[in-house]
Every structure is written in structure tokens, then in C-alpha cells.
């Protein structure tokens, strides 16, 4: 559905090394948070709402709020496991965040990879990347997903995505980031 | 019977149309979002919220289903409008008997010119809202404060209420625009509660 990224003038390896530098800087900035809106689809199921995603090293908290009443949920994960609160029937725990999220709210999303994609970072070493005219990632292919970057927030350094669309089969995540916070980007 | 302020507001109410401003606070009390838009209601259980700012968002309850449409994300989610599940006490307010069925209603008295009424859901285990407080003045609902099970607070202020102005029925119907992705469970028409009979 996206038009092919224009051929960048800069040679591929220079683009890749710039990408690696960007990714390394972001890895060093392990405290970040974003605020925006997300729409998730998982086959026929899905939902949308206001999302606040806060990450501290390898612990994170995602809070989804629906409009009006704010009915939603909060997922907290750390290496020890995951907890989701705010749902009918009370808090739920599980060792694996992805499975808990899928079973509790029907979102089938690879959170660890998504946490990298949302910052324009490749997730797994086998990821492929296409660059746009400014040398920023335009499309990533990673972990069976196709991720498209449709806008960047240039008010932060390094620049971070503003609109992200990730798709894999009948699963899809559309994220519109309203604000980024990088606590200690080197 | 419901408190006088609620009764006065709901008496003879068929449709309601007004403006709202909303401030949403997270569990640490930090202001997360300020939004505004239009809200409309029609007895017995149709309602529509049109958020205009900071981004467009539409919620329509047509009496059978509840639609949440986000134009920028080009996605609309739909689910059955379960009888007892009201997206906010405002919807229940249009039928005080319904309000009493769903909430324990207590009068909190007068403060800074407003009459406050507190609502606590009777069925707590599946209620996402743990408490709602309504503020009335001169027989009009001026504010609604909601607290949810994540300790997040929502403050809604209303203005410019227009009562029984015969709203167009199309206002409470939602047809997903071309190209918008529809997700969720539209349910089957067999589960439909006819609008005619008051629910429950």
C-alpha cells in the first residue's frame, strides 16, 4: 500500500552505519516514554484508545485509556513477568507479557520487538530496512512483520517516529505518537 | 427515589444536546489530556460523543451497538451495547429508574453553588467505573467526575444544554466511512433489544 521509498543518494552501507549509530544511541537512552493513540487489529478483534508507554531499562508500563469513561487497562512488565489491571474480573498475572496481553485483551503483538520498532530500531538481527530520502527507516521487515514509518518527530534528538503502522497477516498496529520523552539520550 | 436534583434534571427528558470539556488525569493525578466536543443523548439509551479537540473521535451508541471511531487511525471498533453497560452514568441519567438500578445514589449536598450526587455501581466486580459524582445547578447537570478502577480520574464539564429539541435520529446511527477498518464484535441481530420497551 505504501509507494516505494525514493532511492536515497547516499550509499547503502553509509545508511546502515548511520542506522546502527542511531540504534546504539537509543539503546543507551533506556528510559523513555511516549504518549499517543493506538489502534490494534487481530483478525476480527481489536480496539483503540489513548496509549501511554513508559519504559525504564527492561521494565515497562503500558496504559490504554478509552475515550469518555477512560475504561481501559494497565500492563506492567519486567523480567519477572507481567501484570494487567483494570479489566473486568480484576488483575491478571503471567510469565509472558505477549500471551497475557493476547489472552486478556485480544492484542496479539510482539511487545519486545514493538518497543524497538516504535523508536525506529530494528528488532532482530535479521531485520531488513529500506531508507527514505533523508536516510531514515521507511520500511522494516522484521520477525514476520512489515513496519512502515509515515512521519517523524524532528523536535527530539535522535528523531523518533510519529506515525507507525506494523502489519503481519491479519494483525495490525497503527500508532500515532503525540509526544516523546527521552530521559537521558547521550 | 432518586435525589431531587437528579429527578428535576431527568423529568420529561427525551433528548439532550450540549457541549463538554473533559480533563483526564492519570493514577498519579497528572493531567493527561484536555479535550472538548459535543454530546447528545436520546431516551432510552442512545448517546453520541463527538470529540473535536485535540483530535477527532466519535462514540455512538445506537441502542444496540456502541461504535468508537478514530478518523486519523482509520479504525472503528464496534461491540454490543450490553443492557447494564453504560459508557458513562450520563447515559443512565436519562432514565432515573435505570440509574437507581445500576448505581447506589447518595446526595452529598451543596458546595460552591452546586448540588452534588454520588454514584457507586451496584455490580462492582465488572464495573470499570468505581465512582461517579454529578454536580447540578438550577436543575442542570453541570459536571460529572469519574474514577475508574485504575485510579484514573475524568472530569467532564457541560454547557449549553438543549433539552427535547427533537434530534435527528441519524445522529445516533453510525455508518463506517469508506476505507475505514471495522474491528470488534458486531454481534447478531438476535441479541438486539428493541428500543421501544424500556430496557430491563
Amino acid at each position: 500500500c505504501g509507494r516505494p521509498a525514493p532511492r536515497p543518494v547516499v550509499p547503502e552501507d553509509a545508511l546502515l552505519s548511520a542506522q546502527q549509530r542511531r540504534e546504539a544511541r537509543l539503546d543507551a537512552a533506556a528510559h523513555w516514554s511516549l504518549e499517543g493513540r493506538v489502534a490494534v487489529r487481530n483478525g476480527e478483534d481489536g480496539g483503540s484508545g489513548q496509549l501511554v508507554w513508559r519504559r525504564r531499562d527492561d521494565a515497562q508500563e503500558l496504559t490504554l485509556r478509552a475515550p469518555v469513561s477512560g475504561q481501559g487497562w494497565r500492563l506492567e512488565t519486567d523480567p519477572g513477568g507481567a501484570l494487567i489491571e483494570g479489566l473486568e474480573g480484576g488483575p491478571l498475572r503471567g510469565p509472558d507479557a505477549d500471551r497475557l496481553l493476547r489472552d486478556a485483551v485480544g492484542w496479539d503483538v510482539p511487545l519486545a520487538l514493538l518497543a524497538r520498532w516504535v523508536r525506529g530500531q530494528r528488532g532482530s538481527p535479521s531485520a531488513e530496512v529500506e531508507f527514505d530520502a533523508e536516510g531514515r527507516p521507511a520500511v522494516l521487515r522484521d520477525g514476520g512483520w512489515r513496519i512502515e514509518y509515515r512521519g517523524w518527530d524532528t523536535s527530539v534528538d535522535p528523531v523518533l517516529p510519529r506515525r507507525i503502522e506494523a502489519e503481519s497477516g491479519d494483525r495490525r498496529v497503527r500508532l500515532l505518537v503525540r509526544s516523546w520523552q527521552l530521559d537521558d539520550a547521550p | 427515589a432518586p435525589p431531587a436534583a437528579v429527578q428535576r434534571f431527568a423529568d420529561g427528558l427525551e433528548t439532550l444536546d450540549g457541549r463538554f470539556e473533559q480533563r483526564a488525569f492519570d493514577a498519579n493525578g497528572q493531567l493527561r489530556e484536555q479535550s472538548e466536543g459535543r454530546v447528545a443523548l436520546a431516551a432510552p439509551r442512545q448517546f453520541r460523543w463527538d470529540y473535536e479537540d485535540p483530535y477527532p473521535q466519535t462514540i455512538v451508541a445506537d441502542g444496540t451497538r456502541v461504535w468508537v471511531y478514530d478518523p486519523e487511525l482509520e479504525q472503528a471498533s464496534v461491540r454490543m451495547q450490553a443492557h447494564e453497560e453504560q459508557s458513562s452514568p450520563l447515559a443512565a441519567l436519562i432514565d432515573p429508574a435505570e440509574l437507581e438500578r445500576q448505581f447506589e445514589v447518595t446526595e452529598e449536598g451543596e458546595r460552591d453553588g452546586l448540588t452534588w450526587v454520588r454514584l457507586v455501581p451496584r455490580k462492582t466486580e465488572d464495573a470499570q467505573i468505581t465512582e461517579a459524582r454529578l454536580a447540578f445547578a438550577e436543575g442542570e447537570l453541570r459536571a460529572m467526575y469519574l474514577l475508574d478502577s485504575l485510579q484514573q480520574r475524568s472530569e467532564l464539564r457541560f454547557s449549553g444544554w438543549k433539552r427535547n429539541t427533537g434530534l435527528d435520529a441519524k445522529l445516533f446511527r453510525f455508518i463506517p466511512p469508506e476505507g475505514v477498518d471495522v474491528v470488534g464484535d458486531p454481534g447478531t441481530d438476535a441479541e438486539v433489544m428493541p428500543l421501544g420497551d424500556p430496557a430491563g
Side-chain angles (χ1 to χ4, degrees), chain A residues 5-21:
Chain A
R7 286 290 346 118
V9 174
V10 180
E12 196 63 17
D13 45 23
L15 290 170
L16 278 174
S17 55
Q19 171 71 8
Q20 261 141 16
R21 276 198 308 280

Side-chain angles (χ1 to χ4, degrees), chain A residues 17-28:
Chain A
S17 55
Q19 171 71 8
Q20 261 141 16
R21 276 198 308 280
R22 225 184 353 258
E23 288 173 347
R25 279 186 68 201
L26 288 169
D27 286 339

Side-chain angles (χ1 to χ4, degrees), chain A residues 29-46:
Chain A
H31 290 205
W32 56 266
S33 66
L34 73 81
E35 202 178 322
R37 297 203 321 284
V38 67
V40 175
R41 178 195 184 89
N42 177 16
E44 287 312 311
D45 204 354

Side-chain angles (χ1 to χ4, degrees), chain B residues 76-117:
Chain B
S77 61
V78 59
R79 54 180 159 72
M80 290 309 286
Q81 182 176 348
H83 156 60
E84 74 291 335
E85 176 254 312
Q86 302 288 354
S87 97
S88 80
L90 180 62
L93 199 59
I94 205 162
D95 170 3
E98 182 58 27
L99 195 69
E100 291 271 320
R101 259 194 299 277
Q102 288 185 43
F103 299 95
E104 272 162 48
V105 182
T106 48
E107 290 186 67
E108 288 188 325
E110 201 83 19
R111 196 161 42 71
D112 45 57
L114 294 168
T115 305
W116 289 86
V117 171

Side-chain angles (χ1 to χ4, degrees), chain A residues 108-185:
Chain A
D108 191 354
V109 172
L111 275 176
L113 289 176
L114 187 60
R116 293 187 61 81
W117 298 338
V118 294
R119 295 206 295 168
Q121 295 176 294
R122 288 166 295 181
S124 41
S126 60
E128 296 159 29
V129 53
E130 273 174 48
F131 295 99
D132 65 18
E134 281 82 25
R136 293 184 292 240
V139 176
L140 278 186
R141 282 183 192 72
D142 195 353
W145 288 71
R146 183 179 189 281
I147 302 96
E148 245 185 70
Y149 294 98
R150 297 197 181 155
W152 293 80
D153 179 352
T154 51
S155 72
V156 282
D157 174 36
V159 291
L160 290 168
R162 181 167 291 294
R163 184 165 178 139
I164 301 136
E165 183 144 337
E167 234 166 310
S168 173
D170 62 5
R171 294 174 298 168
R172 195 195 56 227
V173 178
R174 273 183 184 151
L175 180 62
L176 209 57
V177 180
R178 198 151 49 104
S179 69
W180 277 103
Q181 236 138 41
L182 277 179
D183 294 353
D184 46 20

